[in-house]
Short mmCIF file of all heavy atoms in Angstrom, two decimals:
data_model
loop_
_atom_site.label_atom_id
_atom_site.label_comp_id
_atom_site.label_asym_id
_atom_site.label_seq_id
_atom_site.Cartn_x
_atom_site.Cartn_y
_atom_site.Cartn_z
N TRP A 5 12.00 -36.36 -10.47
CA TRP A 5 11.98 -36.23 -9.01
C TRP A 5 11.55 -34.82 -8.63
O TRP A 5 10.69 -34.62 -7.80
CB TRP A 5 13.33 -36.54 -8.44
CG TRP A 5 13.33 -36.45 -6.95
CD1 TRP A 5 13.87 -35.48 -6.17
CD2 TRP A 5 12.76 -37.41 -6.01
NE1 TRP A 5 13.65 -35.73 -4.86
CE2 TRP A 5 12.95 -36.92 -4.73
CE3 TRP A 5 12.04 -38.59 -6.19
CZ2 TRP A 5 12.50 -37.60 -3.61
CZ3 TRP A 5 11.62 -39.28 -5.06
CH2 TRP A 5 11.83 -38.76 -3.79
N GLN A 6 12.15 -33.81 -9.23
CA GLN A 6 11.87 -32.42 -8.87
C GLN A 6 10.45 -32.02 -9.21
O GLN A 6 9.83 -31.19 -8.54
CB GLN A 6 12.86 -31.47 -9.55
CG GLN A 6 14.26 -31.62 -9.01
CD GLN A 6 15.30 -30.90 -9.89
OE1 GLN A 6 15.02 -30.54 -11.02
NE2 GLN A 6 16.50 -30.81 -9.40
N GLN A 7 9.89 -32.57 -10.28
CA GLN A 7 8.56 -32.19 -10.75
C GLN A 7 7.56 -33.31 -10.49
O GLN A 7 6.55 -33.43 -11.19
CB GLN A 7 8.61 -31.83 -12.20
CG GLN A 7 9.51 -30.65 -12.47
CD GLN A 7 9.68 -30.39 -13.97
OE1 GLN A 7 9.03 -30.97 -14.83
NE2 GLN A 7 10.57 -29.45 -14.28
N ARG A 8 7.82 -34.15 -9.49
CA ARG A 8 7.02 -35.36 -9.27
C ARG A 8 5.53 -35.08 -9.04
O ARG A 8 4.69 -35.89 -9.41
CB ARG A 8 7.60 -36.18 -8.09
CG ARG A 8 7.58 -35.49 -6.75
CD ARG A 8 8.33 -36.31 -5.72
NE ARG A 8 8.54 -35.55 -4.53
CZ ARG A 8 9.57 -34.73 -4.35
NH1 ARG A 8 10.51 -34.61 -5.29
NH2 ARG A 8 9.69 -34.05 -3.22
N LEU A 9 5.22 -33.93 -8.46
CA LEU A 9 3.81 -33.62 -8.24
C LEU A 9 3.11 -33.18 -9.52
O LEU A 9 1.89 -33.29 -9.62
CB LEU A 9 3.66 -32.54 -7.16
CG LEU A 9 4.17 -32.95 -5.78
CD1 LEU A 9 4.02 -31.79 -4.79
CD2 LEU A 9 3.43 -34.19 -5.27
N LYS A 10 3.90 -32.70 -10.51
CA LYS A 10 3.35 -32.27 -11.79
C LYS A 10 3.40 -33.35 -12.85
O LYS A 10 2.81 -33.20 -13.91
CB LYS A 10 4.11 -31.04 -12.30
CG LYS A 10 4.04 -29.82 -11.41
CD LYS A 10 4.89 -28.73 -11.96
CE LYS A 10 4.99 -27.59 -10.98
NZ LYS A 10 5.94 -26.56 -11.46
N PHE A 11 4.13 -34.44 -12.57
CA PHE A 11 4.34 -35.50 -13.55
C PHE A 11 3.04 -36.27 -13.71
O PHE A 11 2.64 -37.05 -12.84
CB PHE A 11 5.45 -36.42 -13.06
CG PHE A 11 5.99 -37.37 -14.10
CD1 PHE A 11 6.80 -36.90 -15.11
CD2 PHE A 11 5.64 -38.70 -14.06
CE1 PHE A 11 7.28 -37.78 -16.08
CE2 PHE A 11 6.10 -39.58 -15.02
CZ PHE A 11 6.94 -39.13 -16.01
N GLU A 12 2.36 -36.06 -14.83
CA GLU A 12 1.04 -36.66 -15.09
C GLU A 12 1.02 -37.41 -16.42
O GLU A 12 0.56 -36.88 -17.40
CB GLU A 12 -0.06 -35.58 -15.11
CG GLU A 12 -0.27 -34.88 -13.78
CD GLU A 12 -1.01 -35.76 -12.79
OE1 GLU A 12 -1.70 -36.70 -13.22
OE2 GLU A 12 -0.89 -35.49 -11.58
N PRO A 13 1.48 -38.63 -16.44
CA PRO A 13 1.49 -39.35 -17.71
C PRO A 13 0.21 -40.12 -17.99
O PRO A 13 0.18 -41.10 -18.70
CB PRO A 13 2.65 -40.36 -17.47
CG PRO A 13 2.62 -40.63 -16.02
CD PRO A 13 2.20 -39.31 -15.38
N HIS A 14 -0.93 -39.64 -17.46
CA HIS A 14 -2.18 -40.38 -17.64
C HIS A 14 -2.68 -40.40 -19.08
O HIS A 14 -3.43 -41.31 -19.45
CB HIS A 14 -3.27 -39.79 -16.70
CG HIS A 14 -2.91 -39.93 -15.25
ND1 HIS A 14 -2.73 -41.17 -14.64
CD2 HIS A 14 -2.64 -39.01 -14.31
CE1 HIS A 14 -2.39 -40.98 -13.39
NE2 HIS A 14 -2.35 -39.68 -13.17
N THR A 15 -2.32 -39.39 -19.86
CA THR A 15 -2.81 -39.40 -21.26
C THR A 15 -2.03 -40.36 -22.13
O THR A 15 -2.48 -40.72 -23.20
CB THR A 15 -2.72 -37.99 -21.86
OG1 THR A 15 -1.37 -37.53 -21.79
CG2 THR A 15 -3.63 -37.01 -21.12
N GLU A 16 -0.87 -40.77 -21.66
CA GLU A 16 -0.08 -41.76 -22.40
C GLU A 16 0.68 -42.60 -21.37
O GLU A 16 0.65 -42.31 -20.18
CB GLU A 16 0.86 -41.07 -23.38
CG GLU A 16 1.69 -39.95 -22.74
CD GLU A 16 2.36 -39.05 -23.76
OE1 GLU A 16 1.91 -38.95 -24.90
OE2 GLU A 16 3.38 -38.49 -23.40
N THR A 17 1.39 -43.59 -21.83
CA THR A 17 2.07 -44.45 -20.85
C THR A 17 3.27 -43.72 -20.28
O THR A 17 3.77 -42.72 -20.85
CB THR A 17 2.57 -45.73 -21.55
OG1 THR A 17 3.60 -45.39 -22.52
CG2 THR A 17 1.47 -46.53 -22.17
N VAL A 18 3.71 -44.15 -19.12
CA VAL A 18 4.92 -43.59 -18.47
C VAL A 18 6.10 -43.70 -19.43
O VAL A 18 6.87 -42.76 -19.58
CB VAL A 18 5.18 -44.29 -17.12
CG1 VAL A 18 6.52 -43.86 -16.54
CG2 VAL A 18 4.06 -44.02 -16.15
N ARG A 19 6.21 -44.83 -20.09
CA ARG A 19 7.32 -45.04 -21.05
C ARG A 19 7.35 -43.98 -22.14
O ARG A 19 8.38 -43.37 -22.38
CB ARG A 19 7.21 -46.44 -21.66
CG ARG A 19 8.24 -46.74 -22.69
CD ARG A 19 8.01 -48.10 -23.31
NE ARG A 19 8.97 -48.28 -24.38
CZ ARG A 19 9.01 -49.35 -25.16
NH1 ARG A 19 8.21 -50.33 -24.95
NH2 ARG A 19 9.90 -49.45 -26.10
N VAL A 20 6.19 -43.72 -22.73
CA VAL A 20 6.11 -42.71 -23.80
C VAL A 20 6.43 -41.30 -23.23
O VAL A 20 7.13 -40.51 -23.87
CB VAL A 20 4.75 -42.75 -24.48
CG1 VAL A 20 4.56 -41.58 -25.41
CG2 VAL A 20 4.58 -44.02 -25.25
N THR A 21 5.94 -41.05 -22.04
CA THR A 21 6.24 -39.73 -21.40
C THR A 21 7.70 -39.57 -21.18
O THR A 21 8.28 -38.49 -21.45
CB THR A 21 5.46 -39.62 -20.07
OG1 THR A 21 4.07 -39.76 -20.33
CG2 THR A 21 5.72 -38.27 -19.42
N LEU A 22 8.39 -40.58 -20.69
CA LEU A 22 9.83 -40.53 -20.47
C LEU A 22 10.59 -40.32 -21.80
O LEU A 22 11.51 -39.53 -21.87
CB LEU A 22 10.32 -41.81 -19.75
CG LEU A 22 9.89 -41.96 -18.34
CD1 LEU A 22 10.28 -43.36 -17.78
CD2 LEU A 22 10.46 -40.86 -17.44
N ILE A 23 10.18 -41.06 -22.85
CA ILE A 23 10.83 -40.92 -24.15
C ILE A 23 10.67 -39.53 -24.68
O ILE A 23 11.60 -38.92 -25.17
CB ILE A 23 10.31 -42.01 -25.12
CG1 ILE A 23 10.83 -43.40 -24.70
CG2 ILE A 23 10.68 -41.68 -26.55
CD1 ILE A 23 10.18 -44.54 -25.43
N ARG A 24 9.48 -39.00 -24.62
CA ARG A 24 9.23 -37.65 -25.15
C ARG A 24 9.99 -36.59 -24.34
O ARG A 24 10.53 -35.64 -24.92
CB ARG A 24 7.73 -37.31 -25.15
CG ARG A 24 6.98 -38.07 -26.22
CD ARG A 24 5.49 -37.74 -26.11
NE ARG A 24 4.76 -38.72 -26.92
CZ ARG A 24 3.97 -38.38 -27.88
NH1 ARG A 24 3.79 -37.14 -28.22
NH2 ARG A 24 3.32 -39.33 -28.55
N SER A 25 10.06 -36.77 -23.05
CA SER A 25 10.79 -35.86 -22.20
C SER A 25 12.29 -35.94 -22.54
O SER A 25 12.98 -34.89 -22.60
CB SER A 25 10.57 -36.18 -20.73
OG SER A 25 9.23 -36.02 -20.37
N LEU A 26 12.81 -37.14 -22.76
CA LEU A 26 14.21 -37.30 -23.13
C LEU A 26 14.47 -36.66 -24.47
O LEU A 26 15.52 -35.94 -24.64
CB LEU A 26 14.55 -38.78 -23.20
CG LEU A 26 16.01 -39.09 -23.52
CD1 LEU A 26 16.93 -38.64 -22.42
CD2 LEU A 26 16.19 -40.59 -23.75
N GLU A 27 13.59 -36.77 -25.42
CA GLU A 27 13.75 -36.10 -26.74
C GLU A 27 13.89 -34.59 -26.53
O GLU A 27 14.71 -33.94 -27.13
CB GLU A 27 12.56 -36.40 -27.64
CG GLU A 27 12.54 -37.81 -28.15
CD GLU A 27 11.25 -38.15 -28.87
OE1 GLU A 27 10.24 -37.42 -28.72
OE2 GLU A 27 11.23 -39.16 -29.63
N HIS A 28 13.03 -34.06 -25.67
CA HIS A 28 13.06 -32.60 -25.42
C HIS A 28 14.38 -32.19 -24.80
O HIS A 28 14.99 -31.17 -25.16
CB HIS A 28 11.87 -32.24 -24.51
CG HIS A 28 11.79 -30.81 -24.23
ND1 HIS A 28 11.42 -29.87 -25.14
CD2 HIS A 28 12.06 -30.10 -23.07
CE1 HIS A 28 11.42 -28.66 -24.60
NE2 HIS A 28 11.81 -28.79 -23.36
#
């Protein structure tokens, strides 16, 4: 939500982006 304008999962799926972010 806070970074919604920067959230750019175009290089991978939204699901993968969420999983990688959660790992971090």
Side-chain angles (χ1 to χ4, degrees):
W5 183 255
Q6 292 167 348
Q7 299 174 7
R8 64 188 168 272
L9 296 177
K10 298 177 188 173
F11 193 76
E12 293 286 338
H14 297 297
T15 57
E16 50 195 26
T17 66
V18 171
R19 177 183 175 181
V20 170
T21 301
L22 291 172
I23 289 170
R24 288 178 194 238
S25 298
L26 182 65
E27 288 171 343
H28 181 71

